[in-house]
């Protein structure tokens, strides 16, 4: 394009149950992309560094109690407070690899019994991911991996409900990845699909918004 034009980065999200491998896969994916000379950053939600994020963190570690609707809106607010910097990064050509996003927000809160449409509403207008990897692992297998911390939600019976809700949220941006496969095989699939997506975004795919 013209001098000063810059092709945009891709918004790539990893979703899945606790212990499905999201964090390690996303870290590796970012290093891989950087190694190819592609500008990429690792982001995660909740972002526990903001003041909203600290409130969320205290709730997750059971140090405070909040009404289910209230905490749902705080998770959403935590994405809204990052929206403009995400957009700036994408427009500057940086690809964002994001560990959890709005799908976690809706899946976890609706698994508690909140209405799914009500849960989706505050996410409307956030940046839509260009690609969502769902690391698919049966809840029982995830539990066998051990290392559930002591945080709220890290229980097999609740994770089963979350898995059901995730299934309702699948759309065309989702790639279901079999997370039972060896780490290397999972990573290989993520790399190939992410590179394709980055190319599509570079060649002018517009940034869109969630759930409109
Ligand atoms: N979680 C995460 C939610 O309930 N709503 C959200 O919007 C997000 C982003 O927070 F149990 C839940 C999912 C998980 C917990 O996530 C903390 P990490 O990835 O374990 O930090
Ligand atoms: Mg966790």
């Amino acid at each position: 394009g013209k001098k000063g034009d810059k092709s945009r980065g891709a918004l790539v999200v990893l979703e899945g149950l606790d212990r499905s491998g999201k964090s390690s896969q996303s870290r590796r994916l970012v290093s891989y992309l950087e190694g190819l000379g592609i500008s990429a950053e690792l982001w995660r939600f909740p972002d526990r560094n903001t003041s909203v994020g600290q409130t969320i963190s205290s709730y997750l570690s059971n140090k405070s109690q909040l009404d289910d609707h209230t905490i749902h809106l705080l998770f959403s607010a935590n994405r809204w407070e990052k929206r403009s910097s995400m957009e700036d990064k994408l427009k500057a050509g940086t690809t964002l690899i994001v560990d959890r996003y709005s799908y976690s927000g809706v899946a976890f809160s609706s698994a508690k019994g909140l209405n799914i449409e009500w849960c989706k509403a505050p996410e409307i207008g956030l940046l839509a991911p260009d690609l969502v990897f769902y690391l698919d692992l049966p809840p029982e297998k995830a539990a066998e991996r051990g290392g559930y911390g002591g945080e709220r939600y890290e229980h097999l019976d609740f994770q089963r409900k979350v898995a059901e809700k995730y299934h309702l949220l699948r759309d065309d941006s989702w790639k279901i990845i079999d997370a039972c496969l060896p780490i290397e095989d999972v990573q290989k699939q993520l790399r190939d699909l992410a590179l394709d997506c980055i190319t599509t975004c570079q060649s002018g795919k517009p940034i869109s918004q969630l759930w409109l």
Side-chain angles (χ1 to χ4, degrees):
K2 281 193 311 255
K3 199 174 169 196
D5 274 7
K6 232 179 171 223
S7 55
R8 75 164 177 101
L11 180 54
V12 177
V13 166
L14 280 83
E15 287 284 3
L17 299 179
D18 280 287
R19 308 304 299 155
S20 59
K22 294 180 303 303
S23 302
S24 38
Q25 292 290 350
S26 46
R27 270 197 305 275
R28 295 193 50 178
L29 183 56
V30 169
S31 320
Y32 168 74
L33 296 172
E34 286 174 333
L36 294 178
I38 295 171
S39 166
E41 287 184 12
L42 177 59
W43 286 45
R44 70 176 310 143
F45 288 105
D47 179 333
R48 303 190 191 212
N49 299 311
T50 69
S51 62
V52 172
Q54 283 164 22
T55 305
I56 292 171
S57 191
S58 138
Y59 171 83
L60 287 171
S61 55
N62 295 303
K63 291 194 188 92
S64 64
Q65 311 302 322
L66 286 169
D67 165 74
D68 291 342
H69 302 80
T70 308
I71 186 65
H72 179 76
L73 294 171
L74 289 177
F75 274 112
S76 185
N78 186 231
R79 282 181 282 281
W80 276 101
E81 64 185 340
K82 292 290 164 183
R83 187 195 187 283
S84 62
S85 32
M86 292 176 82
E87 189 171 7
D88 291 347
K89 289 279 179 185
L90 293 174
K91 287 182 169 165
T94 299
T95 284
L96 304 179
I97 305 298
V98 185
D99 184 352
R100 295 192 189 279
Y101 197 56
S102 301
Y103 308 93
S104 282
V106 177
F108 280 76
S109 291
S110 65
K112 294 171 171 177
L114 299 189
N115 176 280
I116 196 161
E117 294 307 323
W118 186 89
C119 291
K120 287 171 87 168
E123 306 298 316
I124 294 174
L126 287 172
L127 303 180
D130 297 294
L131 176 61
V132 177
F133 291 124
Y134 182 72
L135 300 192
D136 193 18
L137 190 68
E140 297 71 24
K141 283 262 165 60
E144 278 167 23
R145 288 185 174 182
Y148 275 159
E151 286 205 324
R152 206 185 282 265
Y153 306 148
E154 295 182 326
H155 302 284
L156 179 55
D157 48 349
F158 187 70
Q159 297 278 321
R160 284 196 183 103
K161 292 187 188 148
V162 173
E164 285 174 22
K165 299 301 181 183
Y166 265 130
H167 283 222
L168 300 175
L169 295 172
R170 295 178 178 196
D171 63 37
D172 293 344
S173 65
W174 284 46
K175 299 288 179 195
I176 313 297
I177 307 293
D178 181 359
C180 296
L181 293 173
I183 292 175
E184 295 298 332
D185 298 11
V186 172
Q187 180 64 201
K188 172 85 176 90
Q189 294 185 51
L190 301 194
R191 289 176 179 183
D192 293 346
L193 291 162
L195 285 176
D196 277 354
C197 174
I198 290 168
T199 305
T200 309
C201 293
Q202 278 171 347
S203 45
K205 181 189 176 215
I207 298 177
S208 60
Q209 296 182 19
L210 271 182
W211 293 324
L212 288 175

